[in-house]
Amino acid sequence: MAVREVTGTDGTSLVHRTFGSETAPVLVLIHGWAQSSRCWGDDVLDALARDFRVVAVDLRGHGYSQAPETGYDDRALWAGDIAAVLAAENVSASNPAVLLGWSYGGLVICDYLAEYGSDAVAGLVLVGAITSIGRGEKGGRVGPAMRAAIPAAMSEDPREAVKALGSFGHALTGPVEGKGAVSQALFGVSLSTPPRVRAALFDRAVGNDELLAELDVPVLLLHGDVDSVVDVSVAHHAASLLRRATTSVWEGVDHGPFVEDPDRFVAEVGEFARRATAEAATREDHEQGSMEG
């Protein structure tokens, strides 16, 4: 594993961790609201790193990345953050990456696509992810656990925040035996995310339906059917818009599929990412041959 630091377009320091071979296809993992690159768990990261160069990002305001006072409502800044990480990992049109976004990470991926396009993207994986945010946006419909946590989860009063984030944290692990330590770890990450950042991430409104409808890369939509944070209807809405969507709805699973069934998560993500990168390589070879011809 290597820990690397890049700088966003506004000077914000951003940290990401890398796993696996430098020459393997790149898989970028983007976490959700009030989490960090630690959310995936060592076992998932190590398993994915057998076949991919895994890049696990700490978004601005989260984990070890810097938490600026403002800018969380600026699409260009979120997009620039991802672009900086991709550039540092030598991702380009000739070496595209698969981008995986969980929860709020799906919205950040849309920010990147809106600003930079999909030339450097082999495929997308959206895990319990929103693609839009704001009142009436079908791509941002939240579930009962998220509704119950707001606004107390953003409070600076520790009594309010601990109670709200504690109940919210159960949705990340689901009703699975033996996940107590994981639940506490995820809860700790949420609590360590500054309250002003927790609040600022919801202080924006943006729709991405048109962007999804025009997207020309393969997309895997992976969602639990009892997701209490991001309603499963969000995945079905995205599937109705996307040209090349594969939908995997997990029965009885809440907001953290990679926590509830890490082996299945690694298998499904790995299979999709291998196909997407192979397709992108074939397309690049064909385009290169056409230019030479």
Side-chain angles (χ1 to χ4, degrees):
M1 182 194 76
V3 179
R4 296 181 174 176
E5 183 179 8
V6 297
T7 303
T9 54
D10 63 343
T12 296
S13 171
L14 306 161
V15 173
H16 64 279
R17 297 183 295 151
T18 62
F19 306 79
S21 170
E22 292 276 357
T23 60
V26 180
L27 173 63
V28 180
L29 307 184
I30 304 172
H31 64 78
W33 174 81
Q35 277 300 310
S36 78
S37 63
R38 298 284 178 183
C39 72
W40 311 107
D42 291 342
D43 290 345
V44 167
L45 293 171
D46 289 343
L48 289 172
R50 293 173 193 147
D51 294 317
F52 303 97
R53 177 158 184 76
V54 178
V55 179
V57 178
D58 278 351
L59 292 172
R60 60 174 52 225
H62 299 75
Y64 289 104
S65 290
Q66 189 177 356
E69 292 294 327
T70 61
Y72 299 97
D73 60 345
D74 190 333
R75 156 164 277 182
L77 292 181
W78 288 111
D81 292 351
I82 301 304
V85 172
L86 297 185
E89 297 303 322
N90 298 314
V91 172
S92 64
S94 59
N95 183 39
V98 171
L99 307 184
L100 184 154
W102 172 47
S103 199
Y104 201 94
L107 184 64
V108 175
I109 286 176
C110 289
D111 290 333
Y112 169 79
L113 293 171
E115 295 289 324
Y116 292 90
S118 61
D119 287 351
V121 177
L124 304 178
V125 183
L126 300 177
V127 182
I130 62 171
T131 54
S132 297
I133 192 169
R135 186 178 297 276
E137 291 288 349
K138 293 181 180 180
R141 184 181 177 190
V142 299
M146 192 74 249
R147 290 195 297 272
I150 298 173
M154 289 79 159
S155 175
E156 293 190 2
D157 184 329
R159 293 167 298 181
E160 293 184 7
V162 166
K163 183 178 180 180
L165 290 170
S167 59
F168 171 82
H170 292 304
L172 306 185
T173 53
V176 180
E177 295 294 330
K179 298 291 185 179
V182 176
S183 180
Q184 290 185 47
L186 294 173
F187 169 68
V189 174
S190 293
L191 194 60
S192 68
T193 305
R196 60 180 175 80
V197 174
R198 288 183 237 142
L201 264 66
F202 283 93
D203 192 22
R204 63 187 299 211
V206 59
N208 287 306
D209 285 3
E210 291 185 9
L211 183 150
L212 295 183
E214 296 174 358
L215 198 61
D216 60 354
V217 299
V219 181
L220 172 62
L221 300 164
L222 198 161
H223 216 112
D225 70 346
V226 292
D227 193 326
S228 59
V229 176
V230 177
D231 193 85
V232 68
S233 65
V234 172
H236 295 308
H237 176 66
S240 73
L241 298 169
L242 291 161
R243 300 176 185 177
R244 305 182 60 196
T246 300
T247 304
S248 178
V249 176
W250 292 16
E251 184 178 356
V253 170
D254 207 319
H255 193 52
F258 50 89
V259 176
E260 293 198 43
D261 194 342
D263 291 340
R264 180 181 177 185
F265 180 81
V266 169
E268 290 196 9
V269 169
E271 180 182 359
F272 171 83
R274 282 188 289 272
R275 289 201 319 264
T277 52
E279 177 188 311
T282 300
R283 184 170 60 248
E284 174 68 17
D285 290 342
H286 176 74
E287 292 175 354
Q288 187 67 31
S290 297
M291 290 175 61
E292 292 175 354

